[in-house]
Amino acid sequence: LFSMMLLTFIAIEVSYDTTVDYVVASQQVNRIKAHYAAKSGLEISLLRVMLYKQAMASFGSQIPDKSLLDPIWSFPFMWPPTALSAKMSEVDKSMLKDTVKESLMTSQYATTIVPEGGRLDINDLGSNVKTLKAAMIQQIIKVFKSEVEHNEQFADKYRGYRFEELVNNIADYIDEDKESLNGGDENAGYRDIEDKDVEMPPNRSLRTVDELHMIAGMNDDFYKLLAPRITVFGTKGVNINYADKTTLMALDPTMTEEAVGKVIERRSNPKLGGPFKSKDDFFSFVQNYGVNVKAIEEAKTPLLF
């Protein structure tokens, strides 16, 4: 009986260790698959950007509307590319199946390429150019105020909230001085941090959008509102031809949903004029819908086209 118990214990222990080793090995294999799937998605995206540049260099001067080349990079791509099979002929479907079957890529991935030019450069809040810094502060504040005006649920929670203080906290996190724009020391909002070796705020540019979570006063609602509308990659302005609806509405209170809708409709339709070519072109268009272009110009928000 003792021998049987001992052998049973050993068998169970060996079985358990084998199961653990199998799970660990499977996770390592999955990590490798995920790594190479991500790398493949990145490289296919870079290839599409390169093809777009080559097409622009070869045919850009011959095409009056450059946005016609945007589909080279703008359509999402996935592997295996089953989403396109409905539009393919039987021959193409057969070739696709053979390619997928022969591929060593046993993972799945999807990629999208998003223009950063349509977003606000959050690091301009730390700019040494006072007019640019002031304009960006006002622009970020307008994003919040626009949400209060057009989102009842958000307004119920944050009507009366001092968004100026939150935006000043972001600027304090980025700019080089130690004096808070809200008054006092910049580190006042970070005194509950136990690690004394960590200096907060770091007084440097944001390296990722996720770093917004580190800023005093930031919560999930504010982060979800800002994250899709900002960039840390230095576009130095708002690209009117790529900016989303909320960013366009934040330019000025007179940029109503109707005006923004017309802007988006025109820039995506060559028959209506296509992308805006200059600030004068943009201003002359939105004036027809009651937009105060003088106020936008006085705000000195850099506009790109």
Side-chain angles (χ1 to χ4, degrees):
L1 287 174
F2 177 77
S3 298
M4 289 293 293
M5 288 176 60
L6 184 61
L7 290 171
T8 302
F9 173 77
I10 293 173
I12 292 172
E13 187 67 20
V14 170
S15 175
Y16 174 77
D17 289 344
T18 303
T19 303
V20 170
D21 288 342
Y22 176 79
V23 170
V24 170
S26 297
Q27 289 177 344
Q28 290 176 339
V29 170
N30 286 335
R31 287 192 193 98
I32 293 172
K33 286 182 178 181
H35 170 81
Y36 283 103
K39 186 175 181 180
S40 299
L42 174 62
E43 294 198 354
I44 197 73
S45 299
L46 290 173
L47 173 64
R48 295 168 70 193
V49 172
M50 185 185 73
L51 292 174
Y52 173 76
K53 289 184 175 181
Q54 290 179 344
M56 283 290 288
S58 302
F59 308 109
S61 60
Q62 304 170 28
I63 302 175
D65 183 5
K66 305 296 190 294
S67 64
L68 294 175
L69 295 176
D70 284 354
I72 295 174
W73 62 264
S74 60
F75 285 124
F77 180 85
M78 61 186 64
W79 179 269
T82 52
L84 302 175
S85 60
K87 300 178 182 179
M88 290 181 174
S89 65
E90 290 301 320
V91 175
D92 290 334
K93 288 181 182 179
S94 177
M95 292 176 62
L96 178 61
K97 288 180 181 178
D98 291 340
T99 302
V100 173
K101 188 176 181 180
E102 293 172 3
S103 172
L104 297 176
M105 177 62 68
T106 57
S107 304
Q108 298 178 355
Y109 65 82
T111 68
T112 55
I113 304 174
V114 181
E116 292 295 305
R119 304 183 183 194
L120 302 170
D121 183 2
I122 194 71
N123 286 325
D124 281 343
L125 290 175
S127 174
N128 293 325
V129 181
K130 291 184 178 180
T131 54
L132 179 59
K133 180 176 180 176
M136 190 54 59
I137 288 176
Q138 291 304 313
Q139 192 67 17
I140 300 296
I141 291 173
K142 284 179 181 178
V143 170
F144 288 109
K145 290 186 175 179
S146 177
E147 190 71 7
V148 170
E149 291 177 11
H150 300 96
N151 186 335
E152 292 184 8
Q153 188 176 1
F154 187 86
D156 290 341
K157 290 179 69 174
Y158 299 110
R159 186 178 286 110
Y161 188 90
R162 290 183 58 82
F163 293 110
E164 293 84 354
E165 293 184 1
L166 174 62
V167 178
N168 286 342
N169 286 344
I170 303 175
D172 290 338
Y173 189 96
I174 298 170
D175 63 24
E176 296 179 356
D177 61 57
K178 300 293 182 182
E179 185 177 348
S180 173
L181 295 175
N182 294 319
D185 293 333
E186 287 183 348
N187 63 1
Y190 304 93
R191 288 176 180 165
D192 57 340
I193 296 178
E194 297 179 359
D195 190 346
K196 302 304 179 183
D197 295 329
V198 177
E199 185 178 351
M200 292 293 285
N203 298 115
R204 57 160 175 77
S205 298
L206 292 173
R207 293 167 181 165
T208 67
V209 173
D210 285 342
E211 201 174 341
L212 281 174
H213 286 299
M214 303 289 291
I215 292 169
M218 184 64 62
N219 63 28
D220 287 343
D221 290 336
F222 300 154
Y223 175 81
K224 289 176 183 177
L225 178 62
L226 279 182
R229 297 171 177 87
I230 65 170
T231 179
V232 295
F233 296 118
T235 54
K236 304 301 178 188
V238 178
N239 194 319
I240 298 299
N241 291 321
Y242 289 114
D244 67 4
K245 177 181 176 182
T246 307
T247 303
L248 290 172
M249 292 182 72
L251 288 173
D252 190 76
T254 57
M255 286 287 289
T256 60
E257 288 195 31
E258 180 194 8
V260 171
K262 294 294 183 181
V263 168
I264 294 173
E265 183 183 8
R266 180 199 138 158
R267 74 188 189 188
S268 58
N269 190 340
K271 293 181 180 179
L272 298 177
F276 294 92
K277 299 173 181 62
S278 65
K279 184 166 66 174
D280 292 337
D281 183 19
F282 174 64
F283 282 168
S284 63
F285 180 82
V286 295
Q287 271 182 325
N288 298 323
Y289 301 98
V291 175
N292 186 355
V293 298
K294 185 178 180 181
I296 298 176
E297 198 155 24
E298 288 176 350
K300 297 183 178 179
T301 301
L303 303 180
L304 307 176
F305 300 91

